Amino acid sequence: MNELPALTQLRLMAIALIQEGTGDLAPEFEEEFAHFERNGLPWREYTINQINGQTLPAEFILAAIHKKWKDSRHKNKELFTRQILSEWGFL
C-alpha cells in the first residue's frame, strides 16, 4: 500500500472506515491496513485525524457512520459512501 500516492491511500482508508461503519468492511482492506502506522497512529486513527484535523476515538466515528447509515433512506452503500466522501472533501 505504500506505493500509492498519499491522497489515494488516504481515500482508500476513508472508504474502509465507511465500510466498517456500515458493517461491510472488506477483508482485503482490513488485511492491507493491518500493519499501517503513521505518526504513531494506526490506520483508523490516522484517517480520522487527517479528515478532522484532530484525533477522535475510532469507535465514536464508526458509531456516527453506523447511525447515519441506519437512518439513511436509500440503503445504497455506493451512494452512501460517495455522500460521506463528498462531506469529507474527497470528491
Side-chain angles (χ1 to χ4, degrees):
M1 183 63 58
N2 290 333
E3 316 77 50
L4 294 175
L7 183 58
T8 300
Q9 185 178 30
L10 184 58
R11 194 174 285 140
L12 288 174
M13 290 188 293
I15 291 168
L17 197 63
I18 296 165
Q19 285 182 342
E20 187 170 11
T22 62
D24 198 29
L25 180 60
E28 56 271 13
F29 272 134
E30 183 67 41
E31 204 173 289
E32 187 72 32
F33 298 131
H35 301 290
F36 178 92
E37 185 178 310
R38 182 95 18 95
N39 301 330
L41 298 171
W43 77 269
R44 287 172 185 85
E45 287 76 8
Y46 175 78
T47 304
I48 292 165
N49 182 275
Q50 293 300 301
I51 293 167
N52 292 301
Q54 59 185 323
T55 303
L56 300 168
E59 297 78 18
F60 174 77
I61 300 300
L62 292 170
I65 293 169
H66 179 74
K67 180 173 179 1
K68 191 168 191 153
W69 168 245
K70 188 175 159 186
D71 294 346
S72 176
R73 286 191 232 164
H74 53 71
K75 298 301 182 211
N76 178 315
K77 287 190 179 181
E78 183 178 341
L79 181 61
F80 179 78
T81 299
R82 287 179 183 273
Q83 175 188 344
I84 299 296
L85 289 174
S86 178
E87 290 173 11
W88 288 350
F90 284 109
L91 293 180

